[in-house]
Amino acid sequence: MPIYVGALGPKTLNLTGRLADGILVTRRGGYSPEYTKYAISKVMEGALEAGRNENEIDTLAFIESAISMDNEKAKLCIAKILASYTIPYTQNSVLEQAGIGIHEVESIKSAWKRKDLDTAMKEVLKKDLSRFSLFGDPNACIEKLSKYEGTGLKTPIFYLHGPDINEGITLAAEKIVPYF
């Protein structure tokens, strides 16, 4: 049975490369191509240090997703996820690897701590946080996924939230997956 590890920190990533069959970059890390590249590079360092062939290590990442032909609905859907889960619970080191200053997300985290989802969503929508997620129509999603080229990611996992899950699955299967 293959063993995959969901890791975030450099020591755990290195250990994953030494011992596991693959890395699953978790929801609090997989949304950023920059962090994904960092995480996979740390896994591969561990694999090489252990004398393993890095091609044997599988690499997967969750990507928060809202795939829809209605770009505005998809944007609002993903803003809710980013405001209520992804950003408030993401470690500062992961944000920094994604090139996001901690100061950029303090207003979101602060609103969420107060249980003020509306304000947290408004703060997400004010900022360019598109690197945190995949949202919009298939063309927008293909453009975003293309940014993962060169990161070492072999398998992106769409963590679909809506706005219509059935539409998202259909668009992913018919328009996005065949592109790659």
Side-chain angles (χ1 to χ4, degrees):
M1 172 180 355
I3 302 295
Y4 288 75
V5 176
L8 288 173
K11 290 180 183 175
T12 311
L13 291 165
N14 184 282
L15 187 62
T16 299
R18 291 174 172 277
L19 302 173
D21 295 298
I23 176 72
L24 174 58
V25 182
T26 68
R27 288 176 62 196
R28 294 186 206 150
Y31 49 69
S32 157
E34 297 88 354
Y35 178 77
T36 301
K37 182 175 183 174
Y38 164 79
I40 292 170
S41 74
K42 291 296 178 195
V43 169
M44 295 311 164
E45 283 176 18
L48 291 174
E49 289 168 7
R52 298 180 69 195
N53 181 339
E54 60 185 37
N55 292 326
E56 295 173 3
I57 310 292
D58 204 1
T59 58
L60 300 89
F62 279 121
I63 303 174
E64 304 286 14
S65 304
I67 304 169
S68 173
M69 293 308 293
D70 187 328
N71 286 319
E72 191 59 29
K73 281 185 179 179
K75 185 176 182 178
L76 289 173
C77 178
I78 211 66
K80 182 176 182 179
I81 298 305
L82 294 177
S84 64
Y85 178 80
T86 306
I87 295 171
Y89 299 105
T90 298
Q91 295 176 3
N92 290 341
S93 62
V94 175
L95 293 170
E96 290 168 354
Q97 284 295 329
I100 298 180
I102 297 162
H103 64 282
E104 292 181 67
V105 296
E106 273 310 309
S107 58
I108 299 164
K109 288 184 174 193
S110 176
W112 180 245
K113 284 179 187 173
R114 295 188 315 270
K115 307 286 188 232
D116 185 354
L117 179 59
D118 289 338
T119 299
M121 284 179 63
K122 287 176 187 171
E123 291 297 317
V124 166
L125 292 168
K126 283 184 196 176
K127 302 172 186 326
D128 177 20
L129 299 174
S130 60
R131 65 192 138 190
F132 279 81
S133 59
L134 184 73
F135 65 91
D137 63 36
N139 289 332
C141 294
I142 288 168
E143 181 179 330
K144 166 65 185 221
L145 278 175
S146 295
K147 293 178 181 178
Y148 284 87
E149 291 177 4
T151 65
L153 179 64
K154 296 176 184 173
T155 307
I157 301 169
F158 300 155
Y159 201 105
L160 286 170
H161 295 285
D164 177 327
I165 299 292
N166 290 329
E167 178 191 26
I169 291 169
T170 301
L171 290 172
E174 293 178 358
K175 304 287 185 185
I176 299 171
V177 173
Y179 183 84
F180 293 94

PDB file of all heavy atoms in Angstrom, residues 2 14 22 55-56 60 72-73 95 109 119 127 148-149 164 167 170-171:
ATOM      1  N   PRO A   2       0.754   2.132  -0.970  1.00  0.00           N
ATOM      2  CA  PRO A   2       1.568   3.350  -0.999  1.00  0.00           C
ATOM      3  C   PRO A   2       1.214   4.275   0.168  1.00  0.00           C
ATOM      4  O   PRO A   2       0.063   4.373   0.573  1.00  0.00           O
ATOM      5  CB  PRO A   2       1.189   4.009  -2.325  1.00  0.00           C
ATOM      6  CG  PRO A   2       0.484   2.968  -3.118  1.00  0.00           C
ATOM      7  CD  PRO A   2      -0.100   2.004  -2.132  1.00  0.00           C
ATOM      8  N   ASN A  14      11.137  17.070   4.023  1.00  0.00           N
ATOM      9  CA  ASN A  14      12.369  16.328   3.787  1.00  0.00           C
ATOM     10  C   ASN A  14      12.189  14.858   4.158  1.00  0.00           C
ATOM     11  O   ASN A  14      12.577  13.961   3.408  1.00  0.00           O
ATOM     12  CB  ASN A  14      13.513  16.966   4.580  1.00  0.00           C
ATOM     13  CG  ASN A  14      14.838  16.303   4.299  1.00  0.00           C
ATOM     14  OD1 ASN A  14      15.130  15.227   4.818  1.00  0.00           O
ATOM     15  ND2 ASN A  14      15.648  16.948   3.489  1.00  0.00           N
ATOM     16  N   GLY A  22       4.869   9.431  -1.687  1.00  0.00           N
ATOM     17  CA  GLY A  22       4.461  10.669  -2.316  1.00  0.00           C
ATOM     18  C   GLY A  22       4.090  11.734  -1.310  1.00  0.00           C
ATOM     19  O   GLY A  22       3.930  11.468  -0.122  1.00  0.00           O
ATOM     20  N   ASN A  55      12.122  10.420  -9.338  1.00  0.00           N
ATOM     21  CA  ASN A  55      11.011  10.095 -10.240  1.00  0.00           C
ATOM     22  C   ASN A  55      10.039   9.098  -9.627  1.00  0.00           C
ATOM     23  O   ASN A  55       8.924   8.938 -10.110  1.00  0.00           O
ATOM     24  CB  ASN A  55      11.549   9.545 -11.566  1.00  0.00           C
ATOM     25  CG  ASN A  55      12.279  10.603 -12.357  1.00  0.00           C
ATOM     26  OD1 ASN A  55      11.920  11.775 -12.327  1.00  0.00           O
ATOM     27  ND2 ASN A  55      13.332  10.197 -13.045  1.00  0.00           N
ATOM     28  N   GLU A  56      10.466   8.413  -8.570  1.00  0.00           N
ATOM     29  CA  GLU A  56       9.595   7.457  -7.886  1.00  0.00           C
ATOM     30  C   GLU A  56       8.655   8.130  -6.893  1.00  0.00           C
ATOM     31  O   GLU A  56       7.747   7.482  -6.385  1.00  0.00           O
ATOM     32  CB  GLU A  56      10.449   6.420  -7.147  1.00  0.00           C
ATOM     33  CG  GLU A  56      11.271   5.552  -8.070  1.00  0.00           C
ATOM     34  CD  GLU A  56      12.235   4.640  -7.315  1.00  0.00           C
ATOM     35  OE1 GLU A  56      12.220   4.644  -6.072  1.00  0.00           O
ATOM     36  OE2 GLU A  56      12.994   3.939  -7.989  1.00  0.00           O
ATOM     37  N   LEU A  60       1.227  15.328  -5.410  1.00  0.00           N
ATOM     38  CA  LEU A  60      -0.171  15.742  -5.581  1.00  0.00           C
ATOM     39  C   LEU A  60      -0.403  16.992  -4.740  1.00  0.00           C
ATOM     40  O   LEU A  60       0.276  17.200  -3.730  1.00  0.00           O
ATOM     41  CB  LEU A  60      -1.116  14.646  -5.076  1.00  0.00           C
ATOM     42  CG  LEU A  60      -1.050  13.284  -5.733  1.00  0.00           C
ATOM     43  CD1 LEU A  60      -0.036  12.404  -5.037  1.00  0.00           C
ATOM     44  CD2 LEU A  60      -2.407  12.636  -5.682  1.00  0.00           C
ATOM     45  N   GLU A  72     -18.316  35.502 -11.910  1.00  0.00           N
ATOM     46  CA  GLU A  72     -18.607  36.258 -10.685  1.00  0.00           C
ATOM     47  C   GLU A  72     -19.069  35.333  -9.563  1.00  0.00           C
ATOM     48  O   GLU A  72     -18.631  35.468  -8.419  1.00  0.00           O
ATOM     49  CB  GLU A  72     -19.644  37.345 -10.957  1.00  0.00           C
ATOM     50  CG  GLU A  72     -19.809  38.326  -9.820  1.00  0.00           C
ATOM     51  CD  GLU A  72     -18.533  39.082  -9.443  1.00  0.00           C
ATOM     52  OE1 GLU A  72     -17.668  39.299 -10.308  1.00  0.00           O
ATOM     53  OE2 GLU A  72     -18.413  39.441  -8.251  1.00  0.00           O
ATOM     54  N   LYS A  73     -19.949  34.385  -9.881  1.00  0.00           N
ATOM     55  CA  LYS A  73     -20.386  33.426  -8.861  1.00  0.00           C
ATOM     56  C   LYS A  73     -19.214  32.580  -8.367  1.00  0.00           C
ATOM     57  O   LYS A  73     -19.095  32.297  -7.176  1.00  0.00           O
ATOM     58  CB  LYS A  73     -21.485  32.513  -9.405  1.00  0.00           C
ATOM     59  CG  LYS A  73     -22.854  33.149  -9.440  1.00  0.00           C
ATOM     60  CD  LYS A  73     -23.893  32.135  -9.886  1.00  0.00           C
ATOM     61  CE  LYS A  73     -25.271  32.751  -9.914  1.00  0.00           C
ATOM     62  NZ  LYS A  73     -26.292  31.785 -10.380  1.00  0.00           N
ATOM     63  N   LEU A  95       2.452  31.317   3.687  1.00  0.00           N
ATOM     64  CA  LEU A  95       2.114  32.590   3.042  1.00  0.00           C
ATOM     65  C   LEU A  95       3.366  33.251   2.474  1.00  0.00           C
ATOM     66  O   LEU A  95       3.372  33.734   1.338  1.00  0.00           O
ATOM     67  CB  LEU A  95       1.431  33.530   4.033  1.00  0.00           C
ATOM     68  CG  LEU A  95       0.049  33.122   4.521  1.00  0.00           C
ATOM     69  CD1 LEU A  95      -0.380  34.018   5.677  1.00  0.00           C
ATOM     70  CD2 LEU A  95      -0.965  33.157   3.400  1.00  0.00           C
ATOM     71  N   LYS A 109      -7.780  37.585   8.499  1.00  0.00           N
ATOM     72  CA  LYS A 109      -7.681  36.748   9.702  1.00  0.00           C
ATOM     73  C   LYS A 109      -8.410  37.395  10.880  1.00  0.00           C
ATOM     74  O   LYS A 109      -9.098  36.713  11.636  1.00  0.00           O
ATOM     75  CB  LYS A 109      -6.215  36.497  10.056  1.00  0.00           C
ATOM     76  CG  LYS A 109      -5.522  35.551   9.101  1.00  0.00           C
ATOM     77  CD  LYS A 109      -4.100  35.267   9.548  1.00  0.00           C
ATOM     78  CE  LYS A 109      -3.464  34.204   8.673  1.00  0.00           C
ATOM     79  NZ  LYS A 109      -2.219  33.689   9.233  1.00  0.00           N
ATOM     80  N   THR A 119     -17.173  40.635   6.255  1.00  0.00           N
ATOM     81  CA  THR A 119     -15.998  41.510   6.190  1.00  0.00           C
ATOM     82  C   THR A 119     -14.787  40.740   5.684  1.00  0.00           C
ATOM     83  O   THR A 119     -14.014  41.247   4.864  1.00  0.00           O
ATOM     84  CB  THR A 119     -15.706  42.142   7.560  1.00  0.00           C
ATOM     85  OG1 THR A 119     -16.836  42.934   7.937  1.00  0.00           O
ATOM     86  CG2 THR A 119     -14.457  43.011   7.529  1.00  0.00           C
ATOM     87  N   LYS A 127      -8.202  42.151  -2.473  1.00  0.00           N
ATOM     88  CA  LYS A 127      -6.804  41.799  -2.717  1.00  0.00           C
ATOM     89  C   LYS A 127      -6.687  40.836  -3.896  1.00  0.00           C
ATOM     90  O   LYS A 127      -7.621  40.124  -4.225  1.00  0.00           O
ATOM     91  CB  LYS A 127      -6.215  41.160  -1.463  1.00  0.00           C
ATOM     92  CG  LYS A 127      -6.316  42.078  -0.254  1.00  0.00           C
ATOM     93  CD  LYS A 127      -5.914  41.404   1.010  1.00  0.00           C
ATOM     94  CE  LYS A 127      -6.140  42.215   2.254  1.00  0.00           C
ATOM     95  NZ  LYS A 127      -5.982  43.617   2.213  1.00  0.00           N
ATOM     96  N   TYR A 148       1.428  26.042 -12.629  1.00  0.00           N
ATOM     97  CA  TYR A 148       2.027  24.962 -11.855  1.00  0.00           C
ATOM     98  C   TYR A 148       3.095  24.213 -12.652  1.00  0.00           C
ATOM     99  O   TYR A 148       3.803  23.392 -12.097  1.00  0.00           O
ATOM    100  CB  TYR A 148       0.960  23.986 -11.360  1.00  0.00           C
ATOM    101  CG  TYR A 148       0.178  24.531 -10.199  1.00  0.00           C
ATOM    102  CD1 TYR A 148      -0.950  25.316 -10.401  1.00  0.00           C
ATOM    103  CD2 TYR A 148       0.576  24.276  -8.891  1.00  0.00           C
ATOM    104  CE1 TYR A 148      -1.663  25.831  -9.332  1.00  0.00           C
ATOM    105  CE2 TYR A 148      -0.127  24.786  -7.812  1.00  0.00           C
ATOM    106  CZ  TYR A 148      -1.240  25.562  -8.042  1.00  0.00           C
ATOM    107  OH  TYR A 148      -1.934  26.071  -6.991  1.00  0.00           O
ATOM    108  N   GLU A 149       3.189  24.493 -13.959  1.00  0.00           N
ATOM    109  CA  GLU A 149       4.227  23.848 -14.760  1.00  0.00           C
ATOM    110  C   GLU A 149       5.582  24.268 -14.208  1.00  0.00           C
ATOM    111  O   GLU A 149       5.801  25.424 -13.885  1.00  0.00           O
ATOM    112  CB  GLU A 149       4.072  24.224 -16.233  1.00  0.00           C
ATOM    113  CG  GLU A 149       2.833  23.616 -16.855  1.00  0.00           C
ATOM    114  CD  GLU A 149       2.607  24.035 -18.304  1.00  0.00           C
ATOM    115  OE1 GLU A 149       3.458  24.746 -18.873  1.00  0.00           O
ATOM    116  OE2 GLU A 149       1.565  23.648 -18.849  1.00  0.00           O
ATOM    117  N   ASP A 164     -21.735  25.501  -8.344  1.00  0.00           N
ATOM    118  CA  ASP A 164     -22.555  24.335  -8.682  1.00  0.00           C
ATOM    119  C   ASP A 164     -21.574  23.180  -8.899  1.00  0.00           C
ATOM    120  O   ASP A 164     -20.864  23.151  -9.908  1.00  0.00           O
ATOM    121  CB  ASP A 164     -23.372  24.624  -9.948  1.00  0.00           C
ATOM    122  CG  ASP A 164     -24.205  23.453 -10.420  1.00  0.00           C
ATOM    123  OD1 ASP A 164     -23.785  22.284 -10.249  1.00  0.00           O
ATOM    124  OD2 ASP A 164     -25.284  23.700 -10.988  1.00  0.00           O
ATOM    125  N   GLU A 167     -21.799  21.277 -12.238  1.00  0.00           N
ATOM    126  CA  GLU A 167     -21.254  22.045 -13.355  1.00  0.00           C
ATOM    127  C   GLU A 167     -19.724  22.031 -13.285  1.00  0.00           C
ATOM    128  O   GLU A 167     -19.053  21.861 -14.305  1.00  0.00           O
ATOM    129  CB  GLU A 167     -21.759  23.492 -13.311  1.00  0.00           C
ATOM    130  CG  GLU A 167     -21.165  24.336 -14.430  1.00  0.00           C
ATOM    131  CD  GLU A 167     -21.421  25.834 -14.280  1.00  0.00           C
ATOM    132  OE1 GLU A 167     -21.612  26.314 -13.136  1.00  0.00           O
ATOM    133  OE2 GLU A 167     -21.404  26.516 -15.315  1.00  0.00           O
ATOM    134  N   THR A 170     -18.323  18.676 -14.418  1.00  0.00           N
ATOM    135  CA  THR A 170     -18.500  18.528 -15.865  1.00  0.00           C
ATOM    136  C   THR A 170     -17.503  19.384 -16.635  1.00  0.00           C
ATOM    137  O   THR A 170     -16.854  18.908 -17.580  1.00  0.00           O
ATOM    138  CB  THR A 170     -19.949  18.882 -16.264  1.00  0.00           C
ATOM    139  OG1 THR A 170     -20.842  18.014 -15.554  1.00  0.00           O
ATOM    140  CG2 THR A 170     -20.157  18.749 -17.756  1.00  0.00           C
ATOM    141  N   LEU A 171     -17.357  20.654 -16.233  1.00  0.00           N
ATOM    142  CA  LEU A 171     -16.407  21.537 -16.919  1.00  0.00           C
ATOM    143  C   LEU A 171     -14.977  21.050 -16.760  1.00  0.00           C
ATOM    144  O   LEU A 171     -14.193  21.094 -17.710  1.00  0.00           O
ATOM    145  CB  LEU A 171     -16.548  22.973 -16.400  1.00  0.00           C
ATOM    146  CG  LEU A 171     -17.832  23.699 -16.795  1.00  0.00           C
ATOM    147  CD1 LEU A 171     -17.938  25.027 -16.051  1.00  0.00           C
ATOM    148  CD2 LEU A 171     -17.894  23.921 -18.306  1.00  0.00           C
TER     149      LEU A 171
END
